[in-house]
Amino acid sequence: MAFLDTHPNTNSTCNIALDHLTHWMPIAVPIKSWYISPPPMNHPLFGFLPLLLPLVMKFYDSLGKFQCPPSHVIYKNRAKRKFSQLDNDHFKYVQCFYEGMHNDARTCLSIALTAIQHGALCLNYVEMIDVLYSDETSSSGKAIGAKCFDKLTNTEFNIYAKSVVFAGGPFTDELRLKENPNAKPAVSGAAGTHIILPGYYINDIGLLDINTSDGRFLFFLPWLGSTLVGTTDRKGKPVSTPRPPEEEIQWMLREVEKYLSNDLLVRRSDVLSAWQGFRPLASDPHAAADAPISRDHVVSTNPESGITFITGGKWTTYREMAEDVIDTVIENNRDIFTQPLNMCNTLNIPLIGGGEHYTRNTHIKLIQKFGVSEETAKHLSNTYGTKAFNVCYLSKPTGRRWPRFGKTIVEGYPYIESEIEYQCKYENARSVADFLCLRTRLAYLNIEAAKQAVGRVGDLMAACLDWDDEELVLQKEIAYDKLNEFAGPVPIENYQNNIIGATNKYDLKQIFKILDSDNNGYIDIKEMYQAASMLGIDVSHSSDGDEDGQVTPSTKQQNELKEMFEIMDVNNTGRITEQEFIAGWLNTKDDIILKNQLKMKFNVTVSGIEKGPGVLFG
Ligand SMILES: Cc1cc2nc3c(=O)[nH]c(=O)nc-3n(C[C@H](O)[C@H](O)[C@H](O)COP(=O)(O)OP(=O)(O)OC[C@H]3O[C@@H](n4cnc5c(N)ncnc54)[C@H](O)[C@@H]3O)c2cc1C
């Protein structure tokens, strides 16, 4: 999941001045020694980076044609004051440089909406399942279209086209295999893991740690009000589930702890959300053996079917990638396409909501006109640009003195309910999971907050899209399943002894559902006692012991239950989430009577484990 856009002002992407979606992010690189060990990217020469960094960064500025604010050095004493959250005793200096930043999902949607404005036809929830060929019987000849499956209506249909392009990112090879089961791979995946910590770990300047224990870079960035921590890539087969490996999360937390000031304790439960994304690394399977390997994107055409594919690349170059692929398609099909009248002009087309009517003060106008909170106004103007006014027109009064309009979907985040109506009516939002993951980034920012929002978002979407009860229940279930694919404050499995199998996880989820008698997504202590007493455990005695000071069996059972509850309630909120329950099952002793009873009743075989060094919750 990309969020950082290197120099968005360059020729290849957009114009930041007219653009509500991107902004400059200053990033500081604290330098604590003149030689880095282990060296970055495991190359000994890179160990000397601290000596050359100011020069390297000037060169980097030049790549963006000096349109970004200039890189600069912050000297020791000022840096100590500025970065109080860092372990800053041994600063030599801090190098500061600039990157462009955006909310990638919103940029992607804005591109699609802009394309639609200019005449494109876009379909969401449609999967290409096969290629259509000129010679139908032998599935050979030129590709003339694609067989598709509409996941909203469960129907298949065909799209016919003059030219077919595969642009499946890291999944492009899966598309190519539909065309040719023996296709040589063109793309490999590189996984990048991100964790979200609360916003208070960082101020408005990002940080880059180039001196981690294994030579990878670690960055900390303020992103949508939270702190985003991420690593550089690790090779791996692309999968579409966002769940990152627990050991990556643990590695990041260890590195964060080393990096931050000694008086800051970073806990596993501070991880509000965690996910991974796969970046496509491309090579051209149709190129000659001695052709140089592309470091960027690859556009290539299969001469037999005429299908062109594009893969690799970056957000930084997305517009240029699109231009290259369209140029290739026109070039390859001179017999079908007439020579275009104009050169590609997408560089000068602002994305929807951008353009000359958008200014960096749009959020102030929103506050003055609608009485929405400053947080919400900034979020709306950075997301919808000038269309933020349309979102506000749909907003309902809060019934409070301030903010007057813009009822938030979940506390602590700026998303408002009228966005649901706006997105359903004007931006083709069609599922609760999509709204919580990509339309807003709530799932990426705070997975528990996202789960809490499922009910309300579902109800409002149902009203907009005329869902019946059955559809609404299904939507909510799908949303919970999707959200459970993210990692959150509680590890779902013990990363060193991955002993919860899928069946047991399923069983534990069922038990959780039964214990959660009011079905609000949490178990509280009352529900725990209720379950115990239903299973015949005596929890009625409330004194600390009998008159001889002996602990009575029922008090012992009560204490056990209390202890089990406290272990599971990692965040000390008095409520246990499903993830906490599953992880807590592993971390509580096996001889607790409630646990034993539940195991017998539901035939669960997974055991608790001894807590020791390296085991979670620390
Ligand atoms: C962790 C990470 C960090 C990154 N950081 C940066 C960065 O800092 N700067 C930068 O510039 N870039 C960055 N990138 C790279 C950037 O995000 C990717 O290069 C870019 O998303 C690739 O775009 P794409 O459109 O080719 O593929 P994707 O964005 O992956 O889109 C491919 C689409 O094809 C769809 N698809 C696949 N199969 C089918 C099918 N059969 N039918 C219909 N649809 C299908 C998929 O659902 C998907 O929506 C990063 C990437 C990752 C993973």
Side-chain angles (χ1 to χ4, degrees), residues 1-2 4 126 128 168-170 175 194 277-279 313-316:
M1 185 58 54
L4 199 66
V126 169
M128 190 214 86
L175 299 175
H194 300 85
F278 283 85
R279 180 180 219 144
K314 303 189 85 219
W315 265 111
T316 319

Side-chain angles (χ1 to χ4, degrees), residues 70-223:
S71 60
H72 55 275
V73 166
I74 304 176
Y75 292 101
K76 203 168 160 174
N77 289 337
R78 213 178 127 229
K80 276 189 178 182
R81 285 197 304 276
K82 227 173 157 59
F83 302 106
S84 59
Q85 78 274 41
L86 295 188
D87 171 20
N88 59 19
D89 280 352
H90 307 106
F91 276 170
K92 302 281 183 220
Y93 70 95
V94 171
Q95 173 68 46
C96 197
F97 68 103
Y98 288 79
E99 290 273 20
M101 188 182 239
H102 68 160
N103 167 358
D104 58 346
R106 186 65 205 175
T107 308
C108 182
L109 181 64
S110 304
I111 295 167
L113 294 171
T114 311
I116 293 170
Q117 260 188 343
H118 289 264
L121 177 68
C122 294
L123 299 174
N124 49 355
Y125 299 94
V126 169
E127 186 182 348
M128 190 214 86
I129 49 175
D130 219 337
V131 179
L132 300 171
Y133 292 97
S134 49
D135 184 349
E136 254 176 70
T137 40
S138 66
S139 288
S140 60
K142 290 284 173 202
I144 53 161
K147 182 185 262 191
C148 296
F149 180 71
D150 181 341
K151 292 180 179 175
L152 292 179
T153 55
N154 286 337
T155 46
E156 275 184 24
F157 63 99
N158 293 341
I159 299 177
Y160 292 93
K162 288 181 181 168
S163 185
V164 176
V165 174
F166 290 160
F171 306 102
T172 302
D173 277 342
E174 284 175 28
L175 299 175
R176 294 178 57 243
L177 288 175
K178 291 183 203 297
E179 177 200 2
N180 171 8
N182 303 317
K184 232 170 99 188
V187 59
S188 57
T193 299
H194 300 85
I195 60 176
I196 291 285
L197 299 174
Y200 50 68
Y201 281 112
I202 202 162
N203 47 29
D204 48 3
I205 303 184
L207 293 163
L208 179 66
D209 182 1
I210 56 175
N211 196 10
T212 64
S213 59
D214 67 3
R216 280 190 288 171
F217 287 174
L218 190 76
F219 47 82
F220 300 61
L221 298 156
W223 189 61

Side-chain angles (χ1 to χ4, degrees), residues 85-89 257-265:
Q85 78 274 41
L86 295 188
D87 171 20
N88 59 19
D89 280 352
E257 207 159 56
K258 265 195 331 207
Y259 197 57
L260 294 182
S261 163
N262 286 340
D263 63 350
L264 282 178
L265 174 72

Side-chain angles (χ1 to χ4, degrees), residues 295-428:
R295 299 191 158 275
D296 205 346
H297 59 271
V298 163
V299 178
S300 182
T301 305
N302 180 345
E304 279 157 36
S305 64
I307 295 179
T308 300
F309 76 83
I310 176 159
T311 190
K314 303 189 85 219
W315 265 111
T316 319
T317 53
Y318 83 83
R319 204 203 52 79
E320 202 171 77
M321 289 164 70
E323 187 175 336
D324 282 358
V325 82
I326 297 298
D327 285 351
T328 305
V329 167
I330 294 172
E331 192 55 44
N332 286 345
N333 296 283
R334 284 277 179 213
D335 48 332
I336 312 176
F337 297 112
T338 49
Q339 180 65 23
L341 297 176
N342 303 310
M343 298 293 288
C344 173
N345 63 354
T346 47
L347 185 60
N348 301 315
I349 296 179
L351 294 183
I352 191 164
E356 56 196 32
H357 296 298
Y358 170 78
T359 75
R360 293 279 172 195
N361 295 329
T362 295
H363 69 284
I364 300 176
K365 294 183 192 159
L366 291 173
I367 298 170
Q368 291 175 341
K369 194 170 166 89
F370 297 99
V372 291
S373 74
E374 185 174 340
E375 256 202 325
T376 291
K378 283 185 175 158
H379 149 66
L380 293 177
S381 83
N382 291 341
T383 306
Y384 303 90
T386 51
K387 301 280 178 196
F389 291 91
N390 302 19
V391 178
C392 286
Y393 278 121
L394 296 174
S395 68
K396 306 256 170 1
T398 58
R400 286 187 285 159
R401 279 170 178 263
W402 190 261
R404 292 199 310 276
F405 278 81
K407 225 170 147 205
T408 50
I409 293 170
V410 63
E411 213 176 306
Y413 292 87
Y415 306 114
I416 56 173
E417 291 186 350
S418 60
E419 290 180 72
I420 298 172
E421 188 179 345
Y422 182 80
Q423 295 226 12
C424 290
K425 281 189 175 155
Y426 304 107
E427 298 191 341
N428 297 325

